[in-house]
């Protein structure tokens, strides 16, 4: 079995793997509506630079958003710009909260 291909959230590389450079470019986004999609987030965040990955947590039964996501940028400066501009941004009738992924 290919155990090495299992999904690992940003910063959870496991023992001895160290931290990936991507971890420094990843933003945790919270207070998302249940209607938010990965495509919505890709569109919103791509205005600040190249996004390498979007992970939207979804309810396994309804497939609706669980209210949070991780967005990873290719460049840290683009992630920082997105963090600055979108912190407290009104999106889909809610106020976004952004923080660096740990």
């Amino acid at each position: 079995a290919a155990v090495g291909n299992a999904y690992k959230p940003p910063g959870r590389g496991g023992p001895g793997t160290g931290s990936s450079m991507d971890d420094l470019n990843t933003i945790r986004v919270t207070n998302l509506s249940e209607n938010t999609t990965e495509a919505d987030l890709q569109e919103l965040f791509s205005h600040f630079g190249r996004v390498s990955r979007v992970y939207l947590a979804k309810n396994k039964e309804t497939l609706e958003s669980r209210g949070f996501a991780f967005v990873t940028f290719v460049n840290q400066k683009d992630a920082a710009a997105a963090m600055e501009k979108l912190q407290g941004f009104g999106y889909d009738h809610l106020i976004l909260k952004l923080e660096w992924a740990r």
Side-chain angles (χ1 to χ4, degrees):
V3 177
N5 292 337
Y7 171 76
K8 293 179 185 77
R12 308 272 196 290
T17 60
S19 177
S20 165
M21 284 302 290
D22 280 353
D23 294 350
L24 302 174
N25 304 345
T26 301
I27 297 172
R28 182 175 193 259
V29 186
T30 56
N31 206 30
L32 296 169
S33 81
E34 64 273 359
N35 300 318
T36 302
T37 66
E38 288 177 348
D40 293 337
L41 295 172
Q42 179 77 35
E43 182 182 335
L44 179 65
F45 282 87
S46 65
H47 292 287
F48 299 95
R50 273 188 47 216
V51 173
S52 62
R53 181 170 173 269
V54 174
Y55 170 76
L56 176 65
K58 295 179 190 168
N59 179 307
K60 289 179 183 173
E61 293 168 11
T62 66
L63 298 181
E64 290 181 331
S65 164
R66 290 181 50 208
F68 70 94
F70 292 94
V71 179
T72 303
F73 282 85
V74 173
N75 295 306
Q76 203 276 334
K77 67 177 179 55
D78 297 336
M83 175 88 83
E84 182 182 325
K85 297 289 186 188
L86 294 178
Q87 184 68 266
F89 182 75
Y91 187 76
D92 202 14
H93 306 293
L94 295 170
I95 304 298
L96 296 183
K97 182 178 180 215
L98 283 69
E99 60 189 6
W100 293 109
R102 290 183 223 129

